[in-house]
Amino acid sequence: MPSRSRSFLLFSAAAIALSLTACAASPAQTAPASFTAAATGEVVDPAKFERDRASILAMAGDYKVSFDFIETVSFNENYVVTPPKISGAEEVVRVIEDRGDFISLQHILVATHGDVTFPIKHWRQDWQYEPDRILSFIGGNAWEWQDIPLAQRKGKWSQTVYQVDDAPRYSAVAAWTYDLGAPTWAPPHEWRPLPRRDMTTRNDYHTINAMNRHVITPLGWVHEQDNDKVVLSSGVPVLLAREVGVNTYERDSDFAVEVALDYWAGTADFWTEIRDEWVRIGNENNRFGLTIQGESEALYVPLLELASEVAEGKIPLAEAGPKGRALVREFVTFDLAPLAERIAATPKAGEK
């Protein structure tokens, strides 16, 4: 592999902590006025439904992003809150699928290291109208399907967030509201994995009990987080500290947007195969997880490498797709050890 590509892969593993990533281009589709919700069989209020869709689609674009995280209070007499973590990035967000009641947004960070500018694939957000179930994080790199009763999903959207390797991260359900003129989606708290900024530097807590609020603003949008950092090792969840996160996306195309678009044009079909494999895995069992604990670098780095080889024409999609799907399967298990054992198997911060 050329040194430029290798430096991209090595730096991407380090830079993912700064990013909210991955991008794509796909024309938006508009649901008909008589759209019927698949989950309920009821005719949807077209004005409210289209307003919700417009709010979700408004998150696509080109952005200068700031990521601000501040621990606000300790709930353990021996724990001292950490200094604020503040960073920034340039990011492209694109619609990669729109079926009316389902919208998928992919993020790609554009990073510069020395004189090299390159893309970094990171998270994806899928929005489903009136979902009958969602994938909930249950700790220790594992997820479980959670049924959503009709009364709890009517008129609401789920957001499911996915990782660099397209494995799930977390999901929640809420209605879009428009109080005071600000389109807002604010679900209840849900568990999610540690962010990479903590996963790679500390081992003193095991999940975040998070509320993720998305608000559309005149300049773009903001992702506000109310994060409880929770310890699970005793068998009973214990609150360690609380953190406030504010990720601000301001529209700005004054950066190398084409770097992200070119990357996605060359890799979109490969990542479609990887997403489809995760769908198959999710359909096979009510619970599944990764065979590795902590940071999943052993999975996402080879996938990023395969994607780059496809984009550079070094390997055909017909060969890379099966390799990528097999790699995903290599790290998936349906036979989950107890949570305490999964947590105990997590490497110390900085260890492989």
Side-chain angles (χ1 to χ4, degrees):
M1 165 176 266
S3 59
R4 180 184 177 108
S5 298
R6 174 62 63 182
S7 65
F8 154 64
L9 289 170
L10 294 178
F11 186 74
S12 68
I16 284 169
L18 302 177
S19 70
L20 295 174
T21 54
C23 137
S26 163
Q29 304 167 7
T30 302
S34 61
F35 173 75
T36 300
T40 64
E42 296 182 5
V43 176
V44 175
D45 174 358
K48 173 63 165 60
F49 180 72
E50 286 302 332
R51 192 176 189 186
D52 292 352
R53 282 176 40 80
S55 298
I56 296 167
L57 292 170
M59 288 186 280
D62 309 325
Y63 298 99
K64 297 290 180 71
V65 191
S66 63
F67 308 120
D68 301 346
F69 293 92
I70 302 173
E71 285 192 354
T72 57
V73 60
S74 168
F75 294 91
N76 183 313
E77 62 182 358
N78 297 316
Y79 180 78
V80 178
V81 297
T82 61
K85 295 184 177 181
I86 300 174
S87 60
E90 296 170 334
E91 187 175 8
V92 174
V93 184
R94 290 293 184 271
V95 179
I96 60 171
E97 189 171 359
D98 184 349
R99 301 195 300 263
D101 64 344
F102 175 85
I103 299 171
S104 182
L105 303 176
Q106 185 73 59
H107 297 234
I108 290 180
L109 176 74
V110 176
T112 299
H113 184 53
D115 61 352
V116 178
T117 299
F118 52 89
I120 302 173
K121 180 182 183 294
H122 199 195
W123 70 295
R124 178 178 105 248
Q125 47 175 321
D126 285 358
W127 293 83
Q128 177 66 59
Y129 187 70
E130 295 189 349
D132 56 3
R133 63 178 188 169
I134 60 173
L135 270 175
S136 293
F137 180 65
I138 57 175
N141 277 353
W143 298 266
E144 181 176 68
W145 285 108
Q146 174 189 343
D147 292 334
I148 308 299
L150 175 60
Q152 295 180 21
R153 66 180 187 258
K154 187 175 181 181
K156 299 179 180 179
W157 294 77
S158 67
Q159 182 210 42
T160 303
V161 169
Y162 296 85
Q163 308 187 119
V164 179
D165 46 31
D166 284 321
R169 279 187 65 79
Y170 59 87
S171 188
V173 178
W176 280 90
T177 61
Y178 302 91
D179 299 341
L180 305 179
T184 300
W185 183 85
H189 282 69
E190 82 288 319
W191 281 16
R192 62 179 174 87
L194 271 62
R196 193 173 189 275
R197 66 181 184 275
D198 282 355
M199 181 80 79
T200 55
T201 60
R202 55 193 293 184
N203 291 89
D204 55 350
Y205 78 99
H206 308 105
T207 188
I208 286 183
N209 185 41
M211 189 279 288
N212 296 284
R213 180 189 300 111
H214 290 248
V215 185
I216 309 304
T217 71
L219 298 179
W221 55 286
V222 62
H223 177 200
E224 300 170 293
Q225 302 176 41
D226 180 6
N227 294 334
D228 297 332
K229 297 187 174 183
V230 180
V231 180
L232 301 175
S233 52
S234 69
V236 177
V238 176
L239 181 60
L240 175 67
R242 186 161 286 145
E243 174 187 74
V244 172
V246 182
N247 299 338
T248 304
Y249 293 72
E250 293 193 358
R251 292 188 182 278
D252 190 330
S253 299
D254 188 21
F255 62 96
V257 172
E258 68 279 359
V259 169
L261 299 181
D262 289 347
Y263 172 80
W264 194 254
T267 63
D269 290 343
F270 172 79
W271 290 114
T272 295
E273 298 224 14
I274 303 305
R275 291 197 307 274
D276 288 348
E277 189 63 26
W278 282 111
V279 170
R280 285 188 284 270
I281 288 167
N283 288 336
E284 288 174 15
N285 203 295
N286 193 52
R287 307 170 84 221
F288 63 91
L290 299 182
T291 58
I292 49 177
Q293 294 301 317
E295 181 71 0
S296 60
E297 188 173 335
L299 173 57
Y300 69 70
V301 168
L303 286 176
L304 289 172
E305 186 172 42
L306 270 174
S308 294
E309 290 176 349
V310 170
E312 294 167 5
K314 294 180 178 179
I315 181 173
L317 178 64
E319 181 180 344
K323 282 187 174 181
R325 296 196 304 271
L327 184 65
V328 169
R329 288 280 175 172
E330 179 182 342
F331 289 98
V332 170
T333 180
F334 299 109
D335 184 18
L336 299 181
L339 177 59
E341 292 182 21
R342 300 201 305 274
I343 290 172
T346 302
K348 299 296 183 184
E351 295 179 356
K352 299 292 185 180

